[in-house]
Amino acid sequence: MHEAYEVSHLLNATVQIEAIAAYDGNLLLGTRQGHLILYSLSTVNGNQKYELQILRYCKNFSKKPIQQIEVIPEDNLLLCLTDNLLSTYDINGVNFPFVKSFPQTKGASLFALDNKSATSMTGESNSVVHLCVAVRRKLQLYYGKNGEFKQHMFDFTVPDVPKVMAWGQEYLCVGFKAEYTLFDLSSGKPKELFPTSSSRSLEPTIAKYSETSFLLGRDNTSVLVEEAKDIEIKKTIKWTEAPVAVVWDEPFILGLLTDQVIVQTVEPALSIQTLPELNKARLMYRCKRGLIFVASVGQVWCLSAVDVTKQRHQLLKDKQFQIAIDLTLLSDCSPEEKKQTIHSIQMLCALDLFDDKKYAQSMKVFIQLNTDPADVIKLFPELDNKPGTEDQKKLKGKDLENALNALIDYLVELRSKIGKTNTDAGGSKDDATSHRNVTQQLELIDTTLLKCYLQTNDAFVAPLLRLNNCRLEEAEKTLLQHGKHSELIILYQTKGQHTKALQLLREQAKQPDSSLKGYHRTKNYLQHLGADHINLIFKFSDWILEEHPEEGLKIFTEDIVEVENLPRPKVLDFLLREHKSLVTPYLEHVIHTWNDTNPIFHDALVNTYREKIMENSNKSGAPTTDEELQHTKSKLLAFLEKSSHYTPERVILHFPNDSLFEERAVILGKLGRHEQALAIYVQILGDVERAIRYCEQVCENSKDKSLDVYVILMRILMNPEQNGTLSGPLSNVTRHPNASVPDLETALTILEKHADKISPIKALSVLPDTVPLGRLKHFLESALERQLTRKRRVQVLKGLLYAEHLQVKEVKQYHESKSIIINDYNVCPVCKKRFGNQSAFVRYPNGDIVHFSCSLDKQ
């Protein structure tokens, strides 16, 4: 059994001891004969054994038995209850000189002292004493300071004569013959607790446990009661029999039983030691921590605490870690030494909990101690592949599962804790070292978590790897051992090992039983790589573009931010070199879906359409149906008409001279070469209606109203024999049969239908003199009306402008007519200064006048 105290027999008294008290290593005995004896306690030859030396012996202290004594050392004051009257005495004087008595305490049977030291605002230390005296069925309260006592304005009336009393923080605890009661010190209201015992023969006992709690005796137990709004019973301590007296000597509770003292702990509840051979002992008094006096009628003993180091050694051997920690906290060693000792005890406790298979509790202690995670992980040889772990005892079955789950909780909490600490840490010289240590710890934590998840719940592996700090080589090896290829891809991706990831994806794509079978994972991976890895995208997209061209193209066209931000000219160049068949759909997506206006792509799309048409014409390349060819030609023509971002002068250079005449005409129109374009429509294609629509489009889209495209068309219709318009290679192209003779009727129809867009003078210069005047009537009337309308509009506009001019002039005159008088009393509202003779100023519309410079500041 653990030895917490040693017993020293101190005295065989020749008088009958009635009361004891102790302070500062001194012992006071009050006797039945009214004697008062003061002893000093000292050790024998530096050993743990003690002896008493008498200091003062006053035989005439009282004529009656001394009922109770207490000492206030700070005030050198002795309180003594004798002959049912409370008095004070000087503890230092010879024969304990009388100081004063409390006459109102006549008939007192008991008193309770609460002595606290207080520091004043000036820094002086004063003793503050609260005193309660039980006088029959009254409780008198006193307040004492520096040896002077004043009675409170009120006292309590109680139902019976108190047997024991103790002060709390807000309550006074009183034990009567039948029950325990708490009295509110502010109001006097009682709170009844419970009976003192089931047998009326037992006396109540009260031991102060803390400022707000008491140990109350009830039969063979001591009940721990905590002050609160609703009084709370915290714990019950059992004894072999009802104790005569109980004292709390942290961390032990001592109960005085028949001829022995039992030593126990409250938390945890353990029986520590039995101190026998205390013959008929009936009084017990705590002098200070680790020193308790026990007395019978004729003998006195001393219970002294065994050296903390010796106790701690035995406690650790018995695995009583909490008691060892409590004793260390109470020891006299330095704070740093305490901290180190307690840390080592807690580590032993955590390891013991682990050995007892209390894995969760063990991990909580490791967290509290900030234990190096490497030391914790070493407890799991199943996860540690380092040399030397082969012979370690390994966990199995349910124990392994429970231990791993506890380790996971520990690592997750530690990971969060490290993250917060790293975020909150300020800058210092050791920042780089600190960051490196944190990184290493996170690597170890995440790598171990990965191993744990693979053995417990692999559903957590992927989420861990998406934000991981795992050691690449170790994690890679572990995942391969478990065949976790999908998770390995995530690891590579987060570590920037994209080449490894894409190689693995390509290999697994052909495996029929692989979770990575097919092209989808590779396509998705490439789509999220981004522009910085464009060459890697080109390299590993090849096999998908070859085997699944339509889906493979989505690597460059999907509606994903990274895909949209890829360098499109480089992608176009790659497709032109390696996958020419995909150039057209790629360009169509870039232009029509992404609305890219870069001329490079518009020129390229025109060229791809043209090349496809020309390949079919030359019978080179893949065979194309007439329907496909016509569809391509429609797309080319529509694109040439609608797009305004290709370069006409560049693309026209590649168009053939013996075909694609309509497309050439559109490009010539974009270049503003309307005469050539109209000549193609009329003389080569024979499509006068298309030529008229061309003129309509030009007039509709052109801001230059002086363009006479209709006049040009009329000239071509009237002079088919003139070939100057179709110069160069086009001059040798066969003319359409309909364009061989002049078409006067069509020219006159155009003149009549579009009279408002044609210059009369230029139109008449084109027509032959033989045209009847009646055919020109509508045209001439329309032209004349147009001119008159224009004239009237100009006249109205002139009148409106003149009226506006007069209004502005009137406003100007109004403002100029206003005068401003500035004298020495005018003050600028901005700078609060007067205006000088040479001051420039500004007048606001509301009438305020400020310095010119102040107006600039105000703006």
Side-chain angles (χ1 to χ4, degrees):
M1 184 176 284
H2 172 65
E3 290 187 5
Y5 296 90
E6 289 182 350
V7 180
S8 298
H9 183 270
L10 299 178
L11 182 68
N12 285 320
T14 57
V15 289
Q16 293 173 307
I17 301 170
E18 282 291 318
I20 63 172
Y23 70 99
D24 299 338
N26 297 317
L27 174 65
L28 272 167
L29 297 181
T31 71
R32 190 173 299 174
Q33 293 79 10
H35 302 175
L36 187 64
I37 312 168
L38 177 63
Y39 297 92
S40 69
L41 185 72
S42 59
T43 57
V44 180
N45 298 325
N47 296 325
Q48 195 74 7
K49 295 294 181 181
Y50 291 89
E51 65 178 9
L52 291 176
Q53 291 182 340
I54 191 166
L55 294 180
R56 284 191 289 282
Y57 192 151
C58 183
K59 290 186 177 181
N60 300 319
F61 184 79
S62 173
K63 295 179 180 179
K64 295 292 180 74
I66 296 175
Q67 297 164 263
Q68 186 180 351
I69 51 176
E70 289 288 352
V71 179
I72 305 174
E74 296 83 1
D75 298 328
N76 300 315
L77 209 61
L78 168 68
L79 275 75
C80 178
L81 180 63
T82 179
D83 196 18
N84 300 108
L85 180 69
L86 182 65
S87 303
T88 58
Y89 301 83
D90 184 353
I91 195 73
N92 289 334
V94 178
N95 293 328
F96 310 103
F98 173 80
V99 176
K100 64 178 292 187
S101 64
F102 298 79
Q104 62 271 35
T105 64
K106 186 64 179 174
S109 59
L110 178 70
F111 71 91
L113 197 66
D114 183 37
N115 188 5
K116 295 176 182 171
S117 61
T119 304
S120 67
M121 295 180 66
T122 60
E124 296 179 0
S125 180
N126 298 313
S127 63
V128 179
V129 178
H130 291 99
L131 175 66
C132 179
V133 184
V135 182
R136 299 180 185 88
R137 295 190 179 185
K138 291 278 189 182
L139 297 180
Q140 298 177 0
L141 302 181
Y142 295 84
Y143 169 81
K145 186 176 180 182
N146 299 328
E148 294 293 328
F149 287 89
K150 291 183 180 180
Q151 186 175 3
H152 281 282
M153 296 297 292
F154 61 89
D155 53 25
F156 299 160
T157 300
V158 293
D160 196 0
V161 177
K163 294 292 184 180
V164 285
M165 297 188 301
W167 284 85
Q169 193 170 63
E170 297 180 11
Y171 292 87
L172 185 72
C173 186
V174 180
F176 300 103
K177 183 69 176 175
E179 65 179 356
Y180 293 101
T181 304
L182 287 177
F183 290 93
D184 191 319
L185 291 168
S186 61
S187 65
K189 291 182 179 179
K191 285 190 178 182
E192 296 180 359
L193 297 179
F194 46 81
T196 54
S197 69
S198 56
S199 168
R200 303 284 289 183
S201 62
L202 295 176
E203 294 290 323
T205 60
I206 298 178
K208 190 79 173 287
Y209 184 77
S210 72
E211 285 301 314
T212 60
S213 57
F214 312 92
L215 287 161
L216 308 181
R218 187 173 191 274
D219 294 331
N220 294 357
T221 62
S222 288
V223 181
L224 180 58
V225 176
E226 181 78 25
E227 285 186 8
K229 187 176 181 181
D230 297 317
I231 302 302
E232 191 177 356
I233 295 177
K234 303 286 284 187
K235 201 168 183 64
T236 300
I237 296 93
K238 295 187 178 298
W239 308 96
T240 54
E241 60 180 85
V244 176
V246 175
V247 298
W248 168 245
D249 187 41
E250 191 177 2
F252 303 113
I253 178 172
L254 290 82
L256 177 58
L257 280 63
T258 306
D259 298 336
Q260 63 182 356
V261 170
I262 302 296
V263 182
Q264 298 192 73
T265 53
V266 176
E267 195 65 50
L270 297 172
S271 179
I272 299 297
Q273 185 182 12
T274 299
L275 301 168
E277 299 177 3
L278 302 174
N279 189 28
K280 297 182 180 178
R282 64 189 187 89
L283 300 173
M284 186 160 57
Y285 192 97
R286 180 180 180 272
C287 177
K288 61 181 180 180
R289 158 75 200 124
L291 183 62
I292 294 105
F293 291 101
V294 179
S296 65
V297 173
Q299 297 185 75
V300 178
W301 296 269
C302 166
L303 308 183
S304 57
V306 175
D307 180 66
V308 169
T309 305
K310 184 178 178 182
Q311 285 197 67
R312 187 165 55 228
H313 179 75
Q314 183 61 43
L315 288 166
L316 294 180
K317 192 175 178 182
D318 297 339
K319 297 183 179 181
Q320 297 299 336
F321 302 106
Q322 187 56 52
I323 303 174
I325 290 170
D326 293 340
L327 281 173
T328 303
L329 287 169
L330 296 166
S331 66
D332 296 329
C333 57
S334 67
E336 186 59 34
E337 191 177 347
K338 283 183 185 180
K339 184 178 178 182
Q340 291 176 358
T341 304
I342 290 171
H343 187 276
S344 62
I345 294 172
Q346 289 173 323
M347 276 296 295
L348 290 172
C349 176
L351 293 170
D352 183 65
L353 287 169
F354 189 89
D355 291 340
D356 280 352
K357 301 181 181 180
K358 298 175 181 177
Y359 306 113
Q361 293 172 255
S362 174
M363 296 301 155
K364 285 180 182 178
V365 178
F366 286 133
I367 279 285
Q368 293 169 0
L369 298 178
N370 289 323
T371 309
D372 188 336
D375 293 334
V376 178
I377 294 166
K378 284 178 185 175
L379 298 172
F380 294 83
E382 302 83 0
L383 304 175
D384 197 345
N385 298 322
K386 292 181 181 178
T389 60
E390 298 84 0
D391 299 331
Q392 283 185 252
K393 185 179 177 181
K394 296 186 178 182
L395 299 170
K396 296 179 181 178
K398 195 67 177 176
D399 288 340
L400 177 59
E401 183 183 345
N402 292 337
L404 288 176
N405 285 327
L407 179 62
I408 288 170
D409 292 340
Y410 162 78
L411 293 172
V412 169
E413 185 175 348
L414 183 61
R415 193 177 195 261
S416 174
K417 189 176 179 182
I418 291 173
K420 287 180 182 176
T421 305
N422 198 35
T423 303
D424 297 339
S428 67
K429 294 180 181 178
D430 299 327
D431 269 359
T433 306
S434 175
H435 179 71
R436 186 163 58 251
N437 292 338
V438 167
T439 303
Q440 290 172 352
Q441 279 199 336
L442 288 174
E443 284 179 354
L444 175 62
I445 289 169
D446 281 10
T447 305
T448 308
L449 271 174
L450 173 65
K451 295 175 181 178
C452 291
Y453 286 149
L454 286 170
Q455 293 197 45
T456 56
N457 189 346
D458 57 8
F460 291 110
V461 171
L464 169 69
L465 291 173
R466 288 190 180 95
L467 291 170
N468 82 91
N469 301 281
C470 294
R471 295 168 181 164
L472 177 62
E473 293 181 5
E474 195 172 346
E476 180 182 31
K477 182 179 178 182
T478 304
L479 289 168
L480 284 172
Q481 286 174 349
H482 287 80
K484 298 292 183 180
H485 295 110
S486 292
E487 289 77 4
L488 187 54
I489 296 299
I490 299 172
L491 174 69
Y492 286 145
Q493 191 171 19
T494 55
K495 293 295 185 182
Q497 300 292 315
H498 303 302
T499 302
K500 280 189 172 184
L502 290 164
Q503 285 173 343
L504 179 61
L505 283 168
R506 188 166 58 186
E507 292 167 6
Q508 293 295 311
K510 306 294 183 183
Q511 304 297 323
D513 56 346
S514 173
S515 62
L516 301 175
K517 179 186 175 183
Y519 64 86
H520 297 286
R521 283 292 297 273
T522 304
K523 182 188 80 170
N524 183 266
Y525 195 105
L526 292 170
Q527 285 174 332
H528 290 86
L529 274 179
D532 292 342
H533 302 283
I534 188 65
N535 292 327
L536 205 60
I537 295 172
F538 291 157
K539 179 179 178 181
F540 286 96
S541 63
D542 247 344
W543 70 273
I544 304 177
L545 292 168
E546 286 288 344
E547 298 176 16
H548 310 278
E550 188 174 335
E551 287 296 315
L553 186 60
K554 291 181 181 179
I555 295 170
F556 305 105
T557 61
E558 197 76 82
D559 188 17
I560 298 172
V561 173
E562 291 86 351
V563 173
E564 287 195 41
N565 291 331
L566 290 176
R568 295 169 191 174
K570 286 189 176 182
V571 175
L572 175 60
D573 183 60
F574 165 69
L575 293 175
L576 283 168
R577 284 185 287 105
E578 306 294 338
H579 304 279
K580 201 165 183 179
S581 62
L582 298 174
V583 170
T584 301
Y586 175 71
L587 288 170
E588 288 175 341
H589 184 89
V590 168
I591 293 169
H592 301 316
T593 304
W594 287 340
N595 300 315
D596 199 314
T597 59
N598 192 329
I600 292 174
F601 304 124
H602 289 254
D603 290 355
L605 185 57
V606 171
N607 287 331
T608 56
Y609 285 150
R610 176 187 53 75
E611 287 174 2
K612 189 171 183 180
I613 295 168
M614 295 310 297
E615 284 172 4
N616 187 71
S617 302
N618 300 331
K619 303 301 182 183
S620 62
T624 308
T625 63
D626 290 341
E627 188 178 348
E628 290 174 336
L629 178 62
Q630 191 58 42
H631 181 63
T632 304
K633 289 189 72 174
S634 299
K635 288 200 291 185
L636 173 58
L637 187 60
F639 184 71
L640 289 171
E641 289 176 341
K642 291 179 182 178
S643 174
S644 58
H645 301 292
Y646 64 88
T647 315
E649 59 269 23
R650 187 180 300 157
V651 298
I652 199 170
L653 297 175
H654 303 287
F655 270 71
N657 296 314
D658 57 352
S659 60
L660 300 178
F661 297 114
E662 188 173 3
E663 289 77 4
R664 177 182 282 274
V666 174
I667 298 171
L668 288 170
K670 295 279 186 178
L671 290 169
R673 290 152 65 175
H674 304 300
E675 189 170 1
Q676 289 181 325
L678 289 168
I680 290 174
Y681 285 128
V682 175
Q683 295 181 347
I684 296 178
L685 299 174
D687 191 347
V688 178
E689 289 299 323
R690 181 66 184 85
I692 294 171
R693 288 203 306 276
Y694 176 87
C695 292
E696 290 172 351
Q697 290 170 357
V698 170
C699 289
E700 183 180 342
N701 297 325
S702 177
K703 294 180 181 178
D704 185 2
K705 300 302 180 183
S706 63
L707 284 174
D708 292 308
V709 287
Y710 286 105
V711 175
I712 296 170
L713 177 56
M714 290 169 63
R715 184 185 302 120
I716 294 171
L717 290 170
M718 295 301 298
N719 301 290
E721 69 283 353
Q722 292 183 1
N723 295 330
T725 348
L726 297 174
S727 57
L730 290 178
S731 59
N732 298 323
V733 177
T734 305
R735 302 293 188 271
H736 195 276
N738 295 340
S740 58
V741 294
D743 190 352
L744 178 60
E745 282 301 317
T746 303
L748 291 173
T749 303
I750 292 170
L751 190 65
E752 291 173 352
K753 189 174 181 180
H754 303 282
D756 59 329
K757 302 182 186 71
I758 300 174
S759 169
I761 297 173
K762 291 181 180 179
L764 293 173
S765 66
V766 172
L767 295 172
D769 297 339
T770 58
V771 176
L773 192 60
R775 292 295 304 273
L776 300 175
K777 178 184 177 184
H778 173 71
F779 169 68
L780 293 172
E781 286 176 347
S782 177
L784 184 59
E785 185 178 350
R786 190 166 65 252
Q787 292 299 324
L788 289 172
T789 302
R790 188 177 300 165
K791 179 181 177 182
R792 291 192 201 98
R793 187 180 296 113
V794 170
Q795 287 173 338
V796 170
L797 182 60
K798 178 182 177 183
L800 291 171
L801 289 172
Y802 182 69
E804 186 179 10
H805 167 71
L806 291 176
Q807 288 176 347
V808 172
K809 189 174 181 181
E810 185 179 352
V811 172
K812 179 186 175 189
Q813 289 173 349
Y814 169 76
H815 286 295
E816 287 177 344
S817 67
K818 289 204 169 188
S819 61
I820 301 168
I821 299 174
I822 299 177
N823 52 42
D824 292 340
Y825 300 104
N826 288 103
V827 175
C828 173
V830 177
C831 66
K832 310 301 180 186
K833 294 180 180 178
R834 291 187 175 87
F835 294 96
N837 292 333
Q838 304 300 322
S839 295
F841 60 87
V842 173
R843 179 182 181 275
Y844 287 108
N846 63 357
D848 287 348
I849 300 169
V850 300
H851 288 109
F852 179 72
S853 58
C854 293
S855 72
L856 297 176
D857 294 341
K858 195 173 181 181
Q859 289 173 359

